[in-house]
Amino acid sequence: MKVICFGDSNTYGYDPRSWFGGRYQAGSRWVDILAAETGWTVCNRGQNGREIPFSTPDFPADTDLLIVMLGTNDLLQGRNPEQAAGKLEQLLSGIFLDRSKILLIAPPPVTLGEWVPSQQLIDDSHIFARCCQALAEQLCVRFADAGKWNISLAYDGVHFTEQGHKAFAAGLLEELK
């Protein structure tokens, strides 16, 4: 099975304790755990700082599963949940894969931390998750809410800890059963 994980720094496996975009070791990143646990070919298309793109990237036609988790950086850059969901709708609508092959994951809500100084950002991240669910229903794509997977976040309030990556992988594997 060929899987593409398209997301931001939490998909990339960014380690917030590092300098200059360092990553957790492969055995600690959710994308690599998914590959190890399933034996699937999993392509990590995570990128630090990625916001929801305005144009749709090309995904190979032989992709069996496209996992999309984006939106946190849009909120951190001042977009409200509805604006971020609008960008996400544009992105997902432009993907030329069968809808059953797309899994939209709402990122776990942010928490107070070095990058999250206000309750408003936390509230917005919860609202965004609900927008993602509504969007998935509207577009007939699969949906999962990572906010239900008990993801531990680092001191910045945004990035997964190593344990958070393991919890994310466990939640995702359960969802994919």
Side-chain angles (χ1 to χ4, degrees):
M1 186 143 132
K2 295 179 182 174
V3 179
I4 295 176
C5 301
F6 187 71
D8 56 23
S9 54
N10 279 323
T11 299
Y12 174 76
Y14 175 71
D15 181 350
R17 302 167 303 179
S18 70
W19 300 100
F20 309 114
R23 305 168 88 177
Y24 290 117
Q25 295 297 314
S28 299
R29 299 186 298 247
W30 72 262
V31 172
D32 298 300
I33 295 169
L34 175 64
E37 292 289 322
T38 61
W40 297 341
T41 301
V42 181
C43 175
N44 187 336
R45 299 244 330 242
Q47 178 181 314
N48 289 340
R50 176 179 278 146
E51 294 178 42
I52 301 164
F54 285 105
S55 60
T56 305
D58 286 328
F59 297 107
D62 65 347
T63 301
D64 295 303
L65 178 63
L66 173 64
I67 299 172
V68 177
M69 183 174 68
L70 287 166
T72 301
N73 287 315
D74 296 86
L75 298 177
L76 291 171
Q77 293 302 318
R79 286 185 183 79
N80 67 43
E82 295 78 14
Q83 290 169 325
K87 284 179 68 182
L88 193 54
E89 179 179 8
Q90 181 181 0
L91 172 72
L92 294 172
S93 295
I95 296 173
F96 295 109
L97 292 174
D98 186 279
R99 295 286 177 231
S100 66
K101 294 181 176 187
I102 300 172
L103 172 61
L104 174 61
I105 300 179
V110 298
T111 59
L112 285 177
E114 201 169 284
W115 289 23
V116 183
S118 73
Q119 183 63 42
Q120 184 62 53
L121 278 170
I122 297 167
D123 295 344
D124 284 352
S125 66
H126 284 278
I127 294 167
F128 181 67
R130 292 193 296 274
C131 291
C132 286
Q133 183 171 9
L135 182 59
E137 291 169 7
Q138 173 192 329
L139 297 176
C140 299
V141 299
R142 296 166 67 182
F143 174 75
D145 184 352
K148 297 179 179 178
W149 298 343
N150 197 27
I151 311 291
S152 57
L153 301 178
Y155 67 91
D156 59 14
V158 173
H159 293 102
F160 300 176
T161 62
E162 286 182 85
Q163 188 55 42
H165 276 273
K166 291 174 183 166
F168 186 96
L172 178 58
L173 287 164
E174 188 64 32
E175 185 70 36
L176 293 173
K177 281 185 181 177

Tab-separated table of all heavy atoms in Angstrom, residues 105-146:
chain	number	residue	atom	x	y	z
A	105	ILE	N	-7.153	14.690	8.841
A	105	ILE	CA	-6.992	14.624	10.292
A	105	ILE	C	-6.988	16.043	10.849
A	105	ILE	O	-6.194	16.880	10.412
A	105	ILE	CB	-5.684	13.907	10.693
A	105	ILE	CG1	-5.676	12.474	10.148
A	105	ILE	CG2	-5.513	13.920	12.215
A	105	ILE	CD1	-4.417	11.689	10.476
A	106	ALA	N	-7.873	16.305	11.798
A	106	ALA	CA	-7.844	17.579	12.515
A	106	ALA	C	-6.669	17.529	13.479
A	106	ALA	O	-6.556	16.594	14.276
A	106	ALA	CB	-9.147	17.797	13.279
A	107	PRO	N	-5.771	18.522	13.409
A	107	PRO	CA	-4.626	18.516	14.327
A	107	PRO	C	-5.094	18.583	15.784
A	107	PRO	O	-6.158	19.138	16.068
A	107	PRO	CB	-3.864	19.794	13.965
A	107	PRO	CG	-4.407	20.250	12.655
A	107	PRO	CD	-5.793	19.703	12.548
A	108	PRO	N	-4.300	18.038	16.694
A	108	PRO	CA	-4.684	18.176	18.100
A	108	PRO	C	-4.676	19.652	18.489
A	108	PRO	O	-3.891	20.436	17.939
A	108	PRO	CB	-3.616	17.393	18.854
A	108	PRO	CG	-2.470	17.287	17.918
A	108	PRO	CD	-3.025	17.351	16.534
A	109	PRO	N	-5.553	20.037	19.404
A	109	PRO	CA	-5.568	21.449	19.805
A	109	PRO	C	-4.240	21.861	20.447
A	109	PRO	O	-3.592	21.058	21.115
A	109	PRO	CB	-6.717	21.537	20.809
A	109	PRO	CG	-7.108	20.150	21.137
A	109	PRO	CD	-6.530	19.230	20.116
A	110	VAL	N	-3.870	23.092	20.198
A	110	VAL	CA	-2.663	23.632	20.821
A	110	VAL	C	-2.933	23.876	22.305
A	110	VAL	O	-4.079	23.886	22.745
A	110	VAL	CB	-2.197	24.929	20.108
A	110	VAL	CG1	-1.831	24.652	18.659
A	110	VAL	CG2	-3.245	26.021	20.199
A	111	THR	N	-1.853	24.065	23.054
A	111	THR	CA	-1.971	24.367	24.485
A	111	THR	C	-1.124	25.599	24.785
A	111	THR	O	-0.279	25.992	23.977
A	111	THR	CB	-1.478	23.178	25.349
A	111	THR	OG1	-0.108	22.906	25.029
A	111	THR	CG2	-2.318	21.927	25.107
A	112	LEU	N	-1.326	26.185	25.941
A	112	LEU	CA	-0.503	27.331	26.320
A	112	LEU	C	0.963	26.923	26.306
A	112	LEU	O	1.318	25.841	26.765
A	112	LEU	CB	-0.885	27.850	27.711
A	112	LEU	CG	-2.187	28.647	27.794
A	112	LEU	CD1	-2.480	29.024	29.240
A	112	LEU	CD2	-2.132	29.891	26.920
A	113	GLY	N	1.785	27.771	25.756
A	113	GLY	CA	3.206	27.480	25.668
A	113	GLY	C	3.930	28.637	25.010
A	113	GLY	O	3.343	29.688	24.747
A	114	GLU	N	5.188	28.422	24.724
A	114	GLU	CA	6.039	29.471	24.171
A	114	GLU	C	5.494	30.050	22.857
A	114	GLU	O	5.647	31.223	22.574
A	114	GLU	CB	7.444	28.912	23.964
A	114	GLU	CG	8.503	29.982	23.875
A	114	GLU	CD	9.888	29.382	23.952
A	114	GLU	OE1	10.308	29.016	25.066
A	114	GLU	OE2	10.541	29.278	22.900
A	115	TRP	N	4.840	29.217	22.037
A	115	TRP	CA	4.289	29.681	20.770
A	115	TRP	C	2.802	30.001	20.857
A	115	TRP	O	2.225	30.488	19.884
A	115	TRP	CB	4.477	28.625	19.687
A	115	TRP	CG	5.890	28.426	19.230
A	115	TRP	CD1	7.044	28.725	19.900
A	115	TRP	CD2	6.283	27.870	17.987
A	115	TRP	NE1	8.130	28.377	19.144
A	115	TRP	CE2	7.687	27.846	17.958
A	115	TRP	CE3	5.587	27.380	16.889
A	115	TRP	CZ2	8.411	27.355	16.885
A	115	TRP	CZ3	6.310	26.885	15.818
A	115	TRP	CH2	7.703	26.883	15.820
A	116	VAL	N	2.189	29.672	21.976
A	116	VAL	CA	0.737	29.846	22.135
A	116	VAL	C	0.481	30.667	23.399
A	116	VAL	O	0.279	30.118	24.475
A	116	VAL	CB	0.016	28.475	22.223
A	116	VAL	CG1	-1.488	28.666	22.303
A	116	VAL	CG2	0.386	27.591	21.043
A	117	PRO	N	0.492	32.008	23.248
A	117	PRO	CA	0.369	32.863	24.422
A	117	PRO	C	-1.069	33.174	24.853
A	117	PRO	O	-1.268	33.788	25.888
A	117	PRO	CB	1.067	34.147	23.967
A	117	PRO	CG	0.809	34.193	22.493
A	117	PRO	CD	0.811	32.763	22.033
A	118	SER	N	-2.068	32.749	24.055
A	118	SER	CA	-3.428	33.177	24.374
A	118	SER	C	-4.440	32.036	24.334
A	118	SER	O	-4.294	31.081	23.553
A	118	SER	CB	-3.886	34.261	23.385
A	118	SER	OG	-4.159	33.695	22.119
A	119	GLN	N	-5.448	32.185	25.156
A	119	GLN	CA	-6.551	31.225	25.168
A	119	GLN	C	-7.285	31.240	23.823
A	119	GLN	O	-7.828	30.228	23.399
A	119	GLN	CB	-7.520	31.547	26.312
A	119	GLN	CG	-8.664	30.574	26.454
A	119	GLN	CD	-8.225	29.165	26.797
A	119	GLN	OE1	-7.340	28.965	27.636
A	119	GLN	NE2	-8.819	28.168	26.147
A	120	GLN	N	-7.273	32.382	23.137
A	120	GLN	CA	-7.970	32.488	21.849
A	120	GLN	C	-7.429	31.485	20.831
A	120	GLN	O	-8.193	30.856	20.107
A	120	GLN	CB	-7.868	33.910	21.294
A	120	GLN	CG	-8.666	34.120	20.003
A	120	GLN	CD	-10.147	33.905	20.204
A	120	GLN	OE1	-10.743	34.506	21.084
A	120	GLN	NE2	-10.750	33.045	19.394
A	121	LEU	N	-6.111	31.307	20.785
A	121	LEU	CA	-5.523	30.326	19.868
A	121	LEU	C	-5.965	28.908	20.225
A	121	LEU	O	-6.218	28.092	19.336
A	121	LEU	CB	-4.000	30.417	19.885
A	121	LEU	CG	-3.376	31.505	19.019
A	121	LEU	CD1	-1.890	31.641	19.324
A	121	LEU	CD2	-3.580	31.212	17.553
A	122	ILE	N	-6.050	28.630	21.503
A	122	ILE	CA	-6.508	27.310	21.944
A	122	ILE	C	-7.961	27.109	21.515
A	122	ILE	O	-8.310	26.074	20.932
A	122	ILE	CB	-6.347	27.160	23.466
A	122	ILE	CG1	-4.866	27.241	23.841
A	122	ILE	CG2	-6.977	25.852	23.951
A	122	ILE	CD1	-4.592	27.407	25.309
A	123	ASP	N	-8.797	28.105	21.782
A	123	ASP	CA	-10.207	28.023	21.382
A	123	ASP	C	-10.332	27.861	19.875
A	123	ASP	O	-11.123	27.044	19.386
A	123	ASP	CB	-10.971	29.270	21.840
A	123	ASP	CG	-11.053	29.391	23.358
A	123	ASP	OD1	-10.795	28.391	24.071
A	123	ASP	OD2	-11.362	30.502	23.832
A	124	ASP	N	-9.532	28.618	19.118
A	124	ASP	CA	-9.566	28.533	17.658
A	124	ASP	C	-9.180	27.139	17.170
A	124	ASP	O	-9.746	26.636	16.197
A	124	ASP	CB	-8.649	29.583	17.027
A	124	ASP	CG	-9.239	30.984	17.063
A	124	ASP	OD1	-10.421	31.153	17.441
A	124	ASP	OD2	-8.496	31.935	16.701
A	125	SER	N	-8.218	26.512	17.847
A	125	SER	CA	-7.797	25.176	17.410
A	125	SER	C	-8.909	24.148	17.645
A	125	SER	O	-9.060	23.213	16.848
A	125	SER	CB	-6.481	24.755	18.075
A	125	SER	OG	-6.601	24.576	19.459
A	126	HIS	N	-9.695	24.339	18.690
A	126	HIS	CA	-10.850	23.453	18.928
A	126	HIS	C	-11.932	23.687	17.870
A	126	HIS	O	-12.521	22.733	17.350
A	126	HIS	CB	-11.422	23.685	20.327
A	126	HIS	CG	-10.603	23.075	21.422
A	126	HIS	ND1	-10.693	21.753	21.776
A	126	HIS	CD2	-9.676	23.623	22.244
A	126	HIS	CE1	-9.857	21.506	22.771
A	126	HIS	NE2	-9.223	22.623	23.072
A	127	ILE	N	-12.181	24.946	17.562
A	127	ILE	CA	-13.179	25.288	16.532
A	127	ILE	C	-12.721	24.742	15.180
A	127	ILE	O	-13.529	24.205	14.410
A	127	ILE	CB	-13.410	26.817	16.466
A	127	ILE	CG1	-14.061	27.301	17.757
A	127	ILE	CG2	-14.254	27.196	15.254
A	127	ILE	CD1	-14.050	28.820	17.930
A	128	PHE	N	-11.436	24.865	14.880
A	128	PHE	CA	-10.913	24.377	13.610
A	128	PHE	C	-11.146	22.878	13.463
A	128	PHE	O	-11.486	22.396	12.371
A	128	PHE	CB	-9.424	24.714	13.467
A	128	PHE	CG	-8.837	24.256	12.166
A	128	PHE	CD1	-9.239	24.833	10.960
A	128	PHE	CD2	-7.898	23.238	12.130
A	128	PHE	CE1	-8.709	24.402	9.740
A	128	PHE	CE2	-7.363	22.800	10.926
A	128	PHE	CZ	-7.770	23.384	9.730
A	129	ALA	N	-10.987	22.119	14.543
A	129	ALA	CA	-11.234	20.671	14.485
A	129	ALA	C	-12.680	20.396	14.073
A	129	ALA	O	-12.947	19.511	13.248
A	129	ALA	CB	-10.915	20.016	15.824
A	130	ARG	N	-13.619	21.159	14.618
A	130	ARG	CA	-15.028	20.981	14.240
A	130	ARG	C	-15.252	21.377	12.780
A	130	ARG	O	-16.019	20.729	12.067
A	130	ARG	CB	-15.939	21.768	15.178
A	130	ARG	CG	-15.940	21.201	16.598
A	130	ARG	CD	-17.044	21.756	17.452
A	130	ARG	NE	-16.947	23.180	17.702
A	130	ARG	CZ	-16.251	23.739	18.686
A	130	ARG	NH1	-15.574	22.985	19.525
A	130	ARG	NH2	-16.240	25.049	18.842
A	131	CYS	N	-14.561	22.423	12.332
A	131	CYS	CA	-14.644	22.824	10.909
A	131	CYS	C	-14.110	21.718	10.008
A	131	CYS	O	-14.680	21.453	8.940
A	131	CYS	CB	-13.857	24.111	10.665
A	131	CYS	SG	-14.542	25.603	11.398
A	132	CYS	N	-13.027	21.073	10.420
A	132	CYS	CA	-12.453	19.975	9.641
A	132	CYS	C	-13.444	18.819	9.527
A	132	CYS	O	-13.604	18.230	8.450
A	132	CYS	CB	-11.159	19.471	10.277
A	132	CYS	SG	-9.749	20.569	10.078
A	133	GLN	N	-14.102	18.506	10.619
A	133	GLN	CA	-15.069	17.407	10.594
A	133	GLN	C	-16.220	17.728	9.643
A	133	GLN	O	-16.611	16.890	8.828
A	133	GLN	CB	-15.599	17.113	11.992
A	133	GLN	CG	-16.554	15.937	12.002
A	133	GLN	CD	-16.932	15.491	13.393
A	133	GLN	OE1	-16.626	16.158	14.388
A	133	GLN	NE2	-17.591	14.360	13.483
A	134	ALA	N	-16.733	18.951	9.726
A	134	ALA	CA	-17.820	19.363	8.833
A	134	ALA	C	-17.361	19.333	7.372
A	134	ALA	O	-18.116	18.899	6.490
A	134	ALA	CB	-18.318	20.756	9.215
A	135	LEU	N	-16.141	19.766	7.131
A	135	LEU	CA	-15.595	19.775	5.779
A	135	LEU	C	-15.451	18.348	5.238
A	135	LEU	O	-15.793	18.071	4.081
A	135	LEU	CB	-14.245	20.495	5.763
A	135	LEU	CG	-13.551	20.630	4.424
A	135	LEU	CD1	-14.422	21.392	3.423
A	135	LEU	CD2	-12.223	21.348	4.606
A	136	ALA	N	-14.971	17.445	6.060
A	136	ALA	CA	-14.826	16.050	5.645
A	136	ALA	C	-16.183	15.453	5.269
A	136	ALA	O	-16.300	14.744	4.260
A	136	ALA	CB	-14.161	15.231	6.750
A	137	GLU	N	-17.187	15.751	6.069
A	137	GLU	CA	-18.533	15.260	5.761
A	137	GLU	C	-19.033	15.856	4.450
A	137	GLU	O	-19.590	15.152	3.609
A	137	GLU	CB	-19.488	15.590	6.907
A	137	GLU	CG	-19.201	14.787	8.163
A	137	GLU	CD	-19.957	15.281	9.393
A	137	GLU	OE1	-20.830	16.171	9.281
A	137	GLU	OE2	-19.663	14.758	10.490
A	138	GLN	N	-18.816	17.144	4.266
A	138	GLN	CA	-19.252	17.836	3.049
A	138	GLN	C	-18.586	17.259	1.803
A	138	GLN	O	-19.235	17.078	0.773
A	138	GLN	CB	-18.946	19.326	3.180
A	138	GLN	CG	-19.194	20.153	1.933
A	138	GLN	CD	-18.600	21.552	2.055
A	138	GLN	OE1	-18.519	22.121	3.130
A	138	GLN	NE2	-18.164	22.094	0.933
A	139	LEU	N	-17.278	16.979	1.895
A	139	LEU	CA	-16.517	16.507	0.738
A	139	LEU	C	-16.484	14.981	0.621
A	139	LEU	O	-15.872	14.446	-0.308
A	139	LEU	CB	-15.088	17.052	0.791
A	139	LEU	CG	-14.936	18.563	0.709
A	139	LEU	CD1	-13.479	18.966	0.862
A	139	LEU	CD2	-15.520	19.102	-0.591
A	140	CYS	N	-17.099	14.297	1.575
A	140	CYS	CA	-17.138	12.826	1.578
A	140	CYS	C	-15.748	12.205	1.625
A	140	CYS	O	-15.433	11.264	0.879
A	140	CYS	CB	-17.922	12.304	0.375
A	140	CYS	SG	-19.636	12.858	0.352
A	141	VAL	N	-14.884	12.758	2.489
A	141	VAL	CA	-13.578	12.151	2.736
A	141	VAL	C	-13.567	11.619	4.163
A	141	VAL	O	-14.371	12.039	5.005
A	141	VAL	CB	-12.404	13.149	2.509
A	141	VAL	CG1	-12.388	13.651	1.077
A	141	VAL	CG2	-12.449	14.310	3.481
A	142	ARG	N	-12.659	10.712	4.428
A	142	ARG	CA	-12.543	10.134	5.767
A	142	ARG	C	-12.019	11.209	6.723
A	142	ARG	O	-11.311	12.130	6.321
A	142	ARG	CB	-11.611	8.937	5.736
A	142	ARG	CG	-12.170	7.817	4.859
A	142	ARG	CD	-11.146	6.778	4.528
A	142	ARG	NE	-10.727	6.031	5.711
A	142	ARG	CZ	-9.794	5.085	5.682
A	142	ARG	NH1	-9.195	4.769	4.555
A	142	ARG	NH2	-9.452	4.453	6.785
A	143	PHE	N	-12.353	11.048	8.010
A	143	PHE	CA	-11.968	12.055	9.004
A	143	PHE	C	-11.532	11.383	10.294
A	143	PHE	O	-12.083	10.365	10.714
A	143	PHE	CB	-13.157	12.987	9.302
A	143	PHE	CG	-12.879	13.953	10.419
A	143	PHE	CD1	-12.064	15.061	10.217
A	143	PHE	CD2	-13.402	13.743	11.683
A	143	PHE	CE1	-11.777	15.938	11.244
A	143	PHE	CE2	-13.126	14.623	12.727
A	143	PHE	CZ	-12.322	15.720	12.504
A	144	ALA	N	-10.545	11.988	10.930
A	144	ALA	CA	-10.120	11.603	12.270
A	144	ALA	C	-9.776	12.872	13.035
A	144	ALA	O	-9.280	13.840	12.462
A	144	ALA	CB	-8.909	10.679	12.212
A	145	ASP	N	-10.053	12.867	14.315
A	145	ASP	CA	-9.766	14.007	15.183
A	145	ASP	C	-8.642	13.622	16.133
A	145	ASP	O	-8.848	12.878	17.090
A	145	ASP	CB	-11.023	14.401	15.966
A	145	ASP	CG	-10.831	15.640	16.819
A	145	ASP	OD1	-9.689	16.138	16.936
A	145	ASP	OD2	-11.831	16.121	17.380
A	146	ALA	N	-7.436	14.128	15.853
A	146	ALA	CA	-6.279	13.799	16.692
A	146	ALA	C	-6.411	14.376	18.098
A	146	ALA	O	-5.682	13.967	18.999
A	146	ALA	CB	-4.991	14.283	16.035
